Amino acid sequence: AQSVTQLDSQVPVFEEAPVELRCNYSSSVSVYLFWYVQYPNQGLQLLLKYLSGSTLVESINGFEAEFNKSQTSFHLRKPSVHISDTAEYFCAVSGAGSYQLTFGKGTKLSVIP
Amino acid sequence: NAGVMQNPRHLVRRRGQEARLRCSPMKGHSHVYWYRQLPEEGLKFMVYLQKENIIDESGMPKERFSAEFPKEGPSILRIQQVVRGDSAAYFCASSLSDRGGNTIYFGEGSWLTVV
């Protein structure tokens, strides 16, 4: 079984400032890791995922996440946020080879003009 | 290419009534999943279905909840005799295969409110 901890429930940040959303996981097996974004009253959209290979993965809108096996972390970062990044971000994990996603409780990112 | 379609988007039911939530997966996807999001919580897996088969219902409450994915038509999540604690957002998702790491696409959710 896996579990995911998102340490911050809310993160306010000024526009154009950098941001890091933290995610730690626990698992007894190899894992795949995901970040999803949820805009108000919408479904989840996949932002990026780590399956294998390079530990640094990037999304098309400037976010990146780094898989750190020793620290069991998969923190999400962006060097300069925009108002449109305001949303809730969910970290998720699945056992390698499994379809079932285990989600964290989410982090609400509020970008302040 | 339409995404995962869910309806209704919002549903209000009185305690004791039935709620039916429908989900049409993305075109070409035969793997359907239902997740529930309680207030201030992350999504929790409920059930995984393929056409005419329930593959994994380990996250589904044992009573009052059922799911199906018939040969024709959408997947249905049915909640009988709803209670206030069933108020949540229910998300359907689909994928091309069930291999780990395969991208799972989510619908926009159905928000159930029990009054």
Side-chain angles (χ1 to χ4, degrees):
Chain A
Q2 293 84 38
S3 68
V4 177
T5 301
Q6 291 184 246
L7 295 164
D8 306 300
S9 59
Q10 298 192 43
V11 173
V13 63
F14 285 104
E15 192 174 15
E16 297 184 5
V19 70
E20 178 179 81
L21 307 182
R22 295 180 291 172
C23 172
N24 288 88
Y25 69 93
S26 67
S27 177
S28 57
V29 299
S30 297
V31 296
Y32 295 150
L33 293 153
F34 308 81
W35 275 99
Y36 280 84
V37 58
Q38 185 180 29
Y39 298 101
N41 295 318
Q42 294 188 25
L44 277 73
Q45 301 172 32
L46 180 66
L47 197 56
L48 46 76
K49 63 182 178 181
Y50 169 79
L51 304 183
S52 64
S54 172
T55 56
L56 185 66
V57 289
E58 299 176 352
S59 72
I60 57 173
N61 58 353
F63 282 94
E64 63 180 29
E66 186 159 20
F67 170 54
N68 187 320
K69 188 174 181 180
S70 62
Q71 297 187 7
T72 60
S73 68
F74 191 54
H75 301 330
L76 182 70
R77 291 187 285 263
K78 188 170 185 179
S80 175
V81 295
H82 190 267
I83 294 289
S84 61
D85 293 324
T86 295
E88 191 158 17
Y89 292 79
F90 291 94
C91 182
V93 63
S94 71
S98 171
Y99 51 80
Q100 192 174 134
L101 294 170
T102 299
F103 285 86
K105 290 188 176 183
T107 298
K108 290 182 181 172
L109 174 63
S110 300
V111 180
I112 305 161
Chain B
N1 189 13
V4 178
M5 304 299 291
Q6 290 187 247
N7 69 84
R9 291 292 313 280
H10 298 275
L11 182 64
V12 179
R13 284 286 178 267
R14 296 186 185 279
R15 281 178 293 170
Q17 291 185 319
E18 178 180 286
R20 280 191 181 223
L21 310 177
R22 289 175 290 279
C23 168
S24 296
M26 281 184 73
K27 189 175 181 181
H29 288 191
S30 59
H31 303 265
V32 167
Y33 316 84
W34 284 93
Y35 283 77
R36 177 166 64 173
Q37 183 181 31
L38 294 168
E40 307 302 322
E41 296 281 333
L43 278 73
K44 297 278 196 290
F45 170 80
M46 298 180 75
V47 62
Y48 161 39
L49 310 106
Q50 293 180 24
K51 284 285 187 184
E52 300 184 280
N53 286 304
I54 297 174
I55 308 301
D56 178 359
E57 55 182 350
S58 59
M60 192 97 97
K62 294 287 182 272
E63 297 178 351
R64 304 187 297 108
F65 284 73
S66 63
E68 62 176 13
F69 189 17
K71 188 176 180 181
E72 302 290 337
S75 174
I76 306 283
L77 179 67
R78 183 182 177 206
I79 311 171
Q80 295 178 291
Q81 299 174 340
V82 296
V83 301
R84 288 238 170 94
D86 297 332
S87 295
Y90 293 83
F91 288 94
C92 175
S94 73
S95 65
L96 202 54
S97 86
D98 61 356
R99 275 188 323 168
N102 193 49
T103 298
I104 295 177
Y105 297 85
F106 284 82
E108 294 191 334
S110 291
W111 269 260
L112 171 66
T113 302
V114 179
V115 297

